[in-house]
């Protein structure tokens, strides 16, 4: 049947984790609806999915699930789709003339695979070399979190983090490495619970062999308190 063929083609494409662009694919009318209107629609759609699966939504444990999922989608795990939530990354003059790379490692990544809407969980390591300005350390974490909180492909997430910091810091000298587990691989399909995915993006001086090696050595440091 044609519908079976379409499902097979889509499933194969999703397993290959094909990404179409370094920008999150958004419709022109993405923000026409208010968050409340979006939650009302999603709530009804989730209810329909659960009822189609045969679940009894009059049960005390399930009757609030559609509303909870809708709220979670809009306000939490996909909140990074809203440009109003983009963190303001104020920069400051590098008055202490620190000229080496600054590395923020082990930033927790919680994202969602856009092919199966299953979690991506891992760590991001981000670095930059000042071009005369610096950014607050927490802002680097917030930038990672903002771009992670949307349906994602790990390659795109890595690129988006680097591009944003390059823009904020007005320098090409930015790098990011992400090591993450994809539950679409770990919990379904091949069900390989041990594997993880590593992606990287290097800009400016980080493309140079010695600088790249220095960055990669730093993120291997075992920091304990």
């Amino acid at each position: 049947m044609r519908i079976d063929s379409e499902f097979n083609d889509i499933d194969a494409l999703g397993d290959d984790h094909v990404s179409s662009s370094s920008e999150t694919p958004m419709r022109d009318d993405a923000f026409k609806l208010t968050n409340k209107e979006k939650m009302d629609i999603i709530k009804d759609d989730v209810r329909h999915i659960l009822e189609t699966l045969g679940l009894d939504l009059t049960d005390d444990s399930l009757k609030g699930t559609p509303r909870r999922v809708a709220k979670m989608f809009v306000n939490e795990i996909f909140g990074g789709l809203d440009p109003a939530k983009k963190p303001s990354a104020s920069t400051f003059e590098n008055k202490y003339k620190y000229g080496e790379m600054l590395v923020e490692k082990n930033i927790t990544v919680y994202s969602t695979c856009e092919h199966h809407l299953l979690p991506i969980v891992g760590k991001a390591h981000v670095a930059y070399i000042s071009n005369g300005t610096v950014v607050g350390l927490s802002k680097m974490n917030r930038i990672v979190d903002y771009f992670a909180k949307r349906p994602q492909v790990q390659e795109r997430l890595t690129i988006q983090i680097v591009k944003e910091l390059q823009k904020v810091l007005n320098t090409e000298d930015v790098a990011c490495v992400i090591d993450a587990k994809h539950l679409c691989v770990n919990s379904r399909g091949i069900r390989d619970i041990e594997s993880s995915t590593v992606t990287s993006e290097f800009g400016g001086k980080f493309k140079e062999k010695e600088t790249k090696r220095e960055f990669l050595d730093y993120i291997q440091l075992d920091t304990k308190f």
Side-chain angles (χ1 to χ4, degrees):
M1 291 179 66
R2 180 181 175 184
I3 190 168
D4 291 334
S5 176
E6 289 177 354
F7 271 117
N8 289 336
D9 290 344
I10 290 171
D11 192 52
L13 181 64
D15 285 342
D16 286 340
H17 280 213
V18 174
S19 177
S20 59
S21 170
S22 63
E23 300 296 327
T24 301
M26 301 289 291
R27 296 201 325 267
D28 292 338
D29 63 348
F31 306 104
K32 183 178 179 179
L33 299 175
T34 66
N35 283 351
K36 183 181 182 306
E37 288 171 332
K38 290 180 180 180
M39 284 189 276
D40 287 341
I41 294 170
I42 293 170
K43 179 178 66 175
D44 290 341
D45 289 341
V46 172
R47 178 183 294 110
H48 181 232
I49 290 170
L50 296 178
E51 288 176 342
T52 301
L53 291 171
L55 293 169
D56 179 8
L57 295 191
T58 65
D59 185 89
D60 286 343
S61 181
L62 287 172
K63 63 184 179 183
T65 298
R67 180 179 178 277
R68 285 190 292 266
V69 171
K71 185 177 178 181
M72 176 186 67
F73 274 17
V74 174
N75 292 336
E76 297 178 84
I77 67 172
F78 298 145
L81 292 172
D82 186 353
K85 294 185 177 181
K86 187 175 181 178
S88 58
S90 300
T91 57
F92 309 92
E93 183 182 352
N94 184 10
K95 292 183 178 180
Y96 28 83
K97 306 301 179 184
Y98 181 73
E100 300 298 320
M101 73 176 68
L102 184 146
V103 182
E104 184 81 358
K105 65 190 186 75
N106 295 327
I107 300 172
T108 299
V109 172
Y110 284 111
S111 192
T112 304
C113 169
E114 69 181 34
H115 297 119
H116 295 95
L117 298 185
L118 286 172
I120 300 171
V121 182
K123 298 289 184 181
H125 314 285
V126 182
Y128 72 90
I129 300 171
S130 175
N131 188 30
T133 57
V134 296
V135 68
L137 294 179
S138 67
K139 291 300 189 293
M140 297 169 72
N141 299 63
R142 293 181 190 280
I143 287 171
V144 171
D145 189 58
Y146 172 70
F147 286 105
K149 280 190 164 53
R150 58 183 67 183
Q152 268 293 12
V153 176
Q154 187 172 322
E155 298 93 324
R156 181 197 297 138
L157 173 60
T158 312
I159 293 169
Q160 288 176 332
I161 292 166
V162 169
K163 283 187 173 182
E164 180 64 17
L165 278 168
Q166 287 174 330
K167 184 169 71 172
V168 167
L169 291 160
N170 191 30
T171 179
E172 291 296 307
D173 303 334
V174 178
C176 178
V177 171
I178 297 177
D179 183 4
K181 283 184 172 289
H182 293 239
L183 265 69
C184 59
V185 174
N186 301 147
S187 68
R188 58 160 301 282
I190 192 65
R191 293 188 179 89
D192 184 347
I193 63 172
E194 296 298 329
S195 67
S196 67
T197 301
V198 179
T199 51
S200 62
E201 179 73 6
F202 301 103
K205 293 178 181 177
F206 285 94
K207 292 181 180 291
E208 299 172 4
K209 184 177 180 179
E210 289 186 6
T211 306
K212 183 185 294 186
R213 181 71 266 163
E214 181 182 353
F215 169 54
L216 296 176
D217 286 344
Y218 279 142
I219 66 178
Q220 295 298 321
L221 294 175
D222 187 14
T223 306
K224 294 182 179 180
F225 295 94

